[in-house]
Amino acid sequence: MNLVWWSIEVRDGETPARQWRDAWSRSLLEAAVTHGAHDFIWQAEPFGVVLELGFAGTGDWDRFRHLPAVVAALDAVDPTSIYVYPGRGGSAGAGLPRRTPRPVRGDAAPLPVEPPALLVARLS
């Protein structure tokens, strides 16, 4: 089954994001499972927490997102500390570190050349 993933990312603010997770995890997961989530995972990150939810379709996510328990949980976070977006979040990027670019050998741009000074003739 191909799941549609959504992420709720809460960053540390005045209160740690882990406290928000502890307070709202049970109601969020109950709402998710009873409204079509087929998979979920909590991730603790250095910046906060990420809840990844896998739904069978976008309609399931829409229904979940507008449940009173979910709205209350999202409203309990400072708006500048929460991000809700499609796809997996947190550390879902590539498993290998990025390679640093190597210097390129070859033709380089010429160094800038200063224009010659202007000579101004004066009549005395």
Side-chain angles (χ1 to χ4, degrees), residues 21 23-34 64 67 69-70 72-73:
R21 179 191 63 195
W24 293 99
S25 178
R26 185 178 208 143
S27 60
L28 283 171
L29 294 181
E30 180 181 346
V33 170
T34 58
F64 165 77
L67 292 172
V70 177

Side-chain angles (χ1 to χ4, degrees), residues 42-124:
W42 276 107
Q43 293 187 69
E45 299 291 341
F47 56 79
V49 295
V50 179
L51 173 59
E52 297 174 352
L53 300 162
F55 291 91
T58 307
D60 292 337
W61 163 257
D62 291 335
R63 282 188 293 283
F64 165 77
R65 172 63 183 88
H66 296 292
L67 292 172
V70 177
V71 172
L74 299 181
D75 286 346
V77 180
D78 177 19
T80 62
S81 300
I82 188 167
Y83 304 91
V84 179
Y85 51 88
R88 300 191 77 165
S91 64
L96 300 174
R98 263 188 216 167
R99 295 184 336 179
T100 56
R102 295 183 180 169
V104 178
R105 280 201 233 163
D107 295 334
L111 292 173
V113 178
E114 290 199 27
L118 292 176
L119 296 175
V120 179
R122 293 187 188 177
L123 296 174
S124 335

